[in-house]
């Protein structure tokens, strides 16, 4: 059996096992390949990964909080993973660990899927964490003029300088009318199930961003997804914008990882249905 898995902490909520298993079944690989989930705390990550090839693992997806550590322990890394500073896909072969980042090409493929070409377009990216790095690197490489806004402006400035973007050093995001593409990489809109926090979840209004300013001329991407459309995605649909939701991003990055390990192109529709 060739084994694959997603590694994270926590990992219980992950839809990757269902999505990747559906793709293995559709490709007729389910008898020879399996995809599971492994939960491990940060201090056990490197040791766990080192033990996987000996247990029949061919590769893994890596998610929060291990994406930096995954890149650090790899023997070789793709240009994307190196520039982004994080890996979400590891492959094991010949005693070596290779690191890739499929988040950036996943976003670009999802945009192509709704007919949006970032070349020469203006893009506003909200957030300056790990996901933002992948999005900004991908969009800048595709020829977009990228502006990054973040609640903590220093992080936006640092990320923008490193990845060839502009930073908006303002307390609230700049007016969204000026941009062809709006991408949310912050956790605003995330459902907080089982969260013991007494704070109510943040909304875009709290940031000073009016989602009703979204127009039908724009493309909207939200990396957050939940049981329902997020506030931003719902506004995008109302306006008739080109809309890419967090599920679609999950599917696209997962499909590219699947291709890296198996050499086959899975059906995005099958993976989406399983999510
Ligand atoms: P990820 O790997 O998903 O990008 P992260 O690195 O923890 O996660 O980044 C989270 C992003 O969401 C950051 O840009 C964070 O802003 P700060 O840098 O100011 O912390 C943003 N974020 C989280 N909670 C937020 C909130 N309530 N309002 C605005 N931005 C928020």
């Amino acid at each position: 059996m060739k084994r694959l898995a997603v590694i994270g902490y926590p990992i219980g909520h992950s839809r990757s096992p269902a999505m990747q298993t559906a793709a293995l079944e559709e490709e007729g690989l389910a008898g020879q390949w399996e995809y599971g989930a492994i939960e491990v705390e940060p201090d056990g990550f490197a040791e766990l990964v080192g033990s996987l090839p000996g247990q029949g693992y061919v590769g893994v997806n890596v998610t929060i909080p291990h994406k930096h550590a995954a890149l650090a322990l790899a023997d070789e890394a793709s240009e994307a993973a190196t520039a982004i500073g994080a890996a979400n896909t590891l492959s094991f072969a010949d005693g070596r660990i290779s690191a890739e980042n499929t988040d950036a090409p996943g976003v670009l493929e999802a945009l192509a899927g709704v007919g949006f070409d970032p070349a020469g377009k203006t893009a506003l990216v909200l957030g300056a964490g790990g996901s933002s790095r992948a999005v900004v690197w991908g969009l800048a490489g595709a020829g977009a003029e990228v502006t990054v806004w973040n609640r903590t402006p220093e992080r936006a400035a640092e990320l923008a300088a490193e990845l060839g973007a502009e930073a908006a050093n303002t307390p609230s995001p700049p007016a969204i009318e000026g941009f062809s593409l709006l991408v949310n990489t912050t956790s605003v809109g995330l459902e907080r199930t089982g969260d013991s926090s007494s704070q109510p979840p943040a909304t875009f209004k709290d940031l000073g961003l009016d989602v009703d300013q979204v127009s039908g001329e724009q493309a909207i991407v939200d990396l957050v997804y939940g049981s329902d459309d997020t506030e931003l995605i719902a506004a995008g649909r109302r306006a008739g914008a080109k809309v890419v939701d967090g599920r679609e991003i999950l599917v696209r990055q997962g499909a590219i990882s699947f291709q890296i390990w198996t050499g086959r192109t899975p059906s995005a529709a099958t993976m989406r249905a399983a999510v």
Side-chain angles (χ1 to χ4, degrees), residues 64 127-132 150-152 155 185-188 202 207:
I64 291 170
S131 318
S132 173
N150 194 47
R151 176 179 64 178
T152 311
R155 294 186 80 193
T185 76
T186 74
S187 43
V188 176
L207 304 186

Side-chain angles (χ1 to χ4, degrees), residues 35 39 83 86 107 116 122 136 148 160 163 260 267 269 272:
Y35 189 106
E39 184 166 284
V107 170
F116 183 86
T122 53
V136 171
V148 185
L163 298 176
I260 289 169
S267 152
R272 199 176 303 124

Side-chain angles (χ1 to χ4, degrees), residues 11 121 206 248:
I11 202 62
K121 306 275 176 46
D206 300 330
E248 187 65 16

Side-chain angles (χ1 to χ4, degrees), residues 184-227:
N184 176 45
T185 76
T186 74
S187 43
V188 176
L190 196 63
E191 291 169 7
R192 299 204 306 200
T193 46
D195 189 333
S196 58
S197 167
S198 56
Q199 298 279 99
T203 66
F204 288 105
K205 204 169 179 183
D206 300 330
L207 304 186
L209 189 155
D210 180 2
V211 296
D212 289 322
Q213 298 298 310
V214 169
S215 86
E217 313 302 308
Q218 290 174 310
I220 304 294
V221 179
D222 196 347
L223 266 54
V224 172
Y225 67 88
S227 43

